[in-house]
Amino acid sequence: MKTKVSKILAAAVALVLTASISIAGIQAAYKSKIPDSKTYEFSTEGLTGDKTTELMSANPDRGLRMEVYLDVATGMSLFEYADVDAFQQLQDEIDKYKSDNPTLVQVYFYLTGYKDKELDQTAFDNMNRYFDMLEENNLKAVLRFAYISDDTNPLSQEPEDDMVVRHWEQLSSFITERRDQISVLQAGCVGAWGEWDSGAMSRVDYKKILDAIMDNTPDDLYVQVRYSYIKTDNFSKDDPDYDRIGFHDDFLIGDLHGWNTAGSDPQSDRYQQMSEESCYVPVDGEMIWGSANDYYKGEIGGDYISSIKMAKRMAEHHFTSLSLTHNYKEKGGYYSMEYWKTEYINQNILDENGLLYDESWFLDENGNNLPRTMFDYIKDYLGYYLKAEKASAVVNGDTVTATVALKNYGFAAPLTLDKIELVLLDADGNPVSSSEFCSLEELQSGSTVEKTIELQRPENGRGYRLALRLSSRNGDTARLAINIEYTDGYNILGDLI
């Protein structure tokens, strides 16, 4: 019996060994068909203009943005929407601007009802419900807290400095928990609408408030201030918080104005500071309300704000986002941004004004010239507009050496994204090797960043795909402006057989 069992076990072992050898042989034979060294050149044909506005507008953390309001004590909206539930107002705005496909929304959280007391559970319930709704609609916030909505009687709504500081201490955990849904934070809190007017600034210890904001928010969250001197007067350049502070300009009229973030003198130190520093911090802006166009007609130079002047200003100061709630179609009116839709442009117009663009943006899929407007241009080139100018790979054994050049045609670097990676995918679309492509700061407006990076493929002899992934903190991804497959957030540069 013992001998018989031994013979059966020996036979089983032999069978397993034979099967293993056979499988190994098949794998070796399969892998032997793959060249030890092969060079691949991938197409970087530009995404044509008939596709860019549709496909690129969904890229996160950039572009035209909406504007909404929540009274955190009551759950209601404000201003002309004061009788409207704030959550309904958000839905109305989403529906109103659906065709523009914004991914950002400026969210005002008014703390007016708590100017003399700490925030309670009702406040946090309303804020969390609001952010839940943003998440459901794949929107990220340009977030601002404010107290004063009535600029005709600001003192009636103005809190004491210590209460503002206490509120920021309470808000700290909320902002940390919701960090991935916040694109940028605006300092807010001081003055009507949180816009830091000079009267309000004279009544508060704004350094104390700024410190509370910076101390109670994540180190990787940019904080925008209304005026550039707020940054330079309160933070030295060697302060760790200095590089976190960006800008928002809430009085754009085309020509320069004293109420602009950097003032009206392009030769001033303030203006030069913003020109230099806006490369490395996000910048947001809004035009005046369209209903104020008549009042400022002399300064605007006509009925509508100049689209060319706006584009040049936003390119110079590297704007990431711009309000489409202002001077567009507010209250059913016809204002500057609607007029921009009638202003047709060509390459010569942009060249004459020193404005960047990708040649493919002016073409349709058949290579014919495509009608383009200044509205299209500003909508598409706000923030980042990234295109692969070339892409290749050399496969040598298990090493893939890839060379990729990215150019940014947009107004600003993609600073509010999380990272850009070069990735090797297996046949099932799973990442098997990856490496950071470059820092976000390297992709400045007009710059081309070329990198050669080594990736490793597993030794299974299967085909692979080379891809770029541009990701946001909340998992959203961005597509490149080239005519390639875009799957599961990966820009597929090409296949490696």
Side-chain angles (χ1 to χ4, degrees):
M1 178 65 70
K2 187 175 181 180
T3 303
K4 186 175 182 180
V5 171
S6 299
K7 288 181 178 180
I8 292 172
L9 289 174
V13 170
L15 183 60
V16 170
L17 289 173
T18 302
S20 299
I21 293 169
S22 299
I23 292 171
I26 293 170
Q27 289 178 329
Y30 184 85
K31 188 171 183 179
S32 69
K33 295 179 181 179
I34 299 176
D36 288 337
S37 181
K38 186 173 181 180
T39 300
Y40 298 84
E41 297 288 341
F42 303 121
S43 171
T44 54
E45 175 188 12
L47 198 63
T48 51
D50 52 350
K51 297 178 181 177
T52 52
T53 300
E54 172 192 357
L55 300 177
M56 301 288 285
S57 62
N59 281 348
D61 296 284
R62 59 154 300 280
L64 297 173
R65 61 157 175 83
M66 299 180 287
E67 179 175 301
V68 291
Y69 322 102
L70 169 69
D71 183 324
V72 304
T74 66
M76 301 297 286
S77 187
L78 290 96
F79 309 113
E80 67 265 37
Y81 309 103
D83 296 330
V84 180
D85 177 279
F87 305 94
Q88 184 59 54
Q89 190 231 343
L90 173 57
Q91 186 59 58
D92 290 345
E93 296 299 291
I94 291 170
D95 295 341
K96 181 178 181 179
Y97 297 108
K98 185 176 181 180
S99 62
D100 296 305
N101 199 24
T103 62
L104 293 174
V105 54
Q106 183 174 32
V107 176
Y108 283 81
F109 280 168
Y110 275 88
L111 309 181
T112 317
Y114 298 92
K115 79 179 191 72
D116 297 318
K117 61 183 180 180
E118 294 189 358
L119 301 174
D120 59 17
Q121 192 59 45
T122 297
F124 285 101
D125 287 346
N126 281 327
M127 289 188 290
N128 276 307
R129 181 185 168 196
Y130 210 88
F131 264 78
D132 287 344
M133 191 170 174
L134 293 179
E135 186 174 17
E136 290 167 6
N137 288 276
N138 201 34
L139 293 168
K140 293 182 73 174
V142 176
L143 181 60
R144 185 192 299 187
F145 294 91
Y147 294 89
I148 301 170
S149 59
D150 182 6
D151 62 320
T152 65
N153 189 19
L155 294 181
S156 67
Q157 297 179 324
E158 189 170 80
E160 296 292 333
D161 295 348
D162 287 343
M163 186 55 66
V164 177
V165 172
R166 176 59 187 141
H167 286 165
W168 277 107
E169 291 171 349
Q170 290 185 275
L171 289 166
S172 179
S173 59
F174 169 78
I175 292 174
T176 299
E177 290 167 6
R178 294 294 187 168
R179 169 67 186 93
D180 290 354
Q181 288 177 258
I182 303 171
S183 183
V184 294
L185 175 69
Q186 296 184 339
C189 293
V190 176
W193 323 297
E195 274 198 35
W196 292 66
D197 62 88
S198 58
M201 290 178 67
S202 70
R203 298 190 297 269
V204 304
D205 183 348
Y206 54 84
K207 172 59 173 169
K208 182 177 182 178
I209 293 172
L210 281 172
D211 285 341
I213 294 171
M214 306 308 287
D215 290 345
N216 289 285
T217 52
D219 291 340
D220 64 351
L221 179 61
Y222 285 106
V223 177
Q224 295 174 329
V225 295
R226 177 63 178 86
Y227 296 102
S228 58
Y229 65 80
I230 295 172
K231 177 177 181 176
T232 52
D233 288 356
N234 292 283
F235 300 94
S236 63
K237 289 190 175 182
D238 58 0
D239 189 315
D241 286 329
Y242 190 87
D243 292 337
R244 285 180 60 196
I245 301 174
F247 309 104
H248 64 94
D249 195 328
D250 295 355
F251 197 85
L252 298 172
I253 60 173
D255 283 324
L256 295 177
H257 190 278
W259 292 346
N260 289 151
T261 297
S264 58
D265 180 6
Q267 304 305 316
S268 68
D269 291 342
R270 283 178 58 195
Y271 196 91
Q272 295 301 316
Q273 170 208 356
M274 187 167 177
S275 296
E276 295 168 6
E277 294 185 2
S278 60
C279 293
Y280 302 103
V281 292
V283 180
D284 174 66
E286 62 189 40
M287 292 183 284
I288 60 173
W289 291 109
S291 55
N293 284 0
D294 282 344
Y295 184 83
Y296 291 101
K297 189 171 184 176
E299 292 167 279
I300 291 173
D303 294 326
Y304 306 107
I305 294 174
S306 166
S307 59
I308 289 290
K309 289 180 179 179
M310 280 292 298
K312 292 175 71 172
R313 170 71 194 287
M314 290 191 292
E316 180 182 9
H317 283 162
H318 309 288
F319 278 63
T320 295
S321 53
L322 176 73
S323 171
L324 50 65
T325 303
H326 294 75
N327 232 299
Y328 186 14
K329 48 188 176 185
E330 61 211 54
K331 298 181 181 179
Y334 182 98
Y335 298 109
S336 298
M337 293 177 82
E338 286 282 18
Y339 181 70
W340 296 352
K341 292 180 178 181
T342 70
E343 293 186 300
Y344 288 92
I345 57 172
N346 54 33
Q347 294 92 326
N348 290 337
I349 291 174
L350 297 183
D351 287 339
E352 289 169 1
N353 287 281
L355 294 169
L356 290 171
Y357 61 91
D358 174 32
E359 288 283 356
S360 301
W361 187 78
F362 277 103
L363 305 176
D364 65 19
E365 61 182 353
N366 297 314
N368 301 313
N369 287 328
L370 188 71
R372 310 260 41 190
T373 69
M374 277 305 296
F375 179 84
D376 298 330
Y377 179 76
I378 288 173
K379 178 181 178 181
D380 287 358
Y381 288 88
L382 265 168
Y384 60 90
Y385 186 102
L386 300 175
K387 179 188 177 187
E389 297 287 287
K390 69 176 183 178
S392 63
V394 176
V395 178
N396 193 347
D398 296 325
T399 301
V400 177
T401 304
T403 299
V404 178
L406 284 187
K407 182 169 182 177
N408 185 6
Y409 290 91
F411 295 162
L415 301 172
T416 46
L417 289 181
D418 185 37
K419 56 186 173 182
I420 300 176
E421 298 173 290
L422 192 64
V423 184
L424 199 61
L425 303 173
D426 66 17
D428 298 319
N430 301 311
V432 295
S433 182
S434 65
S435 177
E436 180 185 45
F437 177 76
C438 69
S439 69
L440 303 173
E441 292 81 2
E442 288 180 79
L443 283 165
Q444 292 295 321
S445 177
S447 68
T448 300
V449 176
E450 183 172 330
K451 299 282 186 177
T452 297
I453 294 170
E454 287 190 356
L455 301 174
Q456 298 298 315
R457 61 177 187 172
E459 298 181 10
N460 60 11
R462 302 174 67 191
Y464 296 93
R465 315 187 85 185
L466 185 67
L468 270 170
R469 184 177 178 88
L470 296 73
S471 56
S472 186
R473 286 185 58 95
N474 67 344
D476 289 341
T477 56
R479 71 175 300 148
L480 299 173
I482 56 176
N483 190 25
I484 57 174
E485 181 183 344
Y486 179 65
T487 303
D488 296 328
Y490 292 100
N491 294 272
I492 307 298
L493 298 173
D495 293 324
L496 307 172
I497 300 173

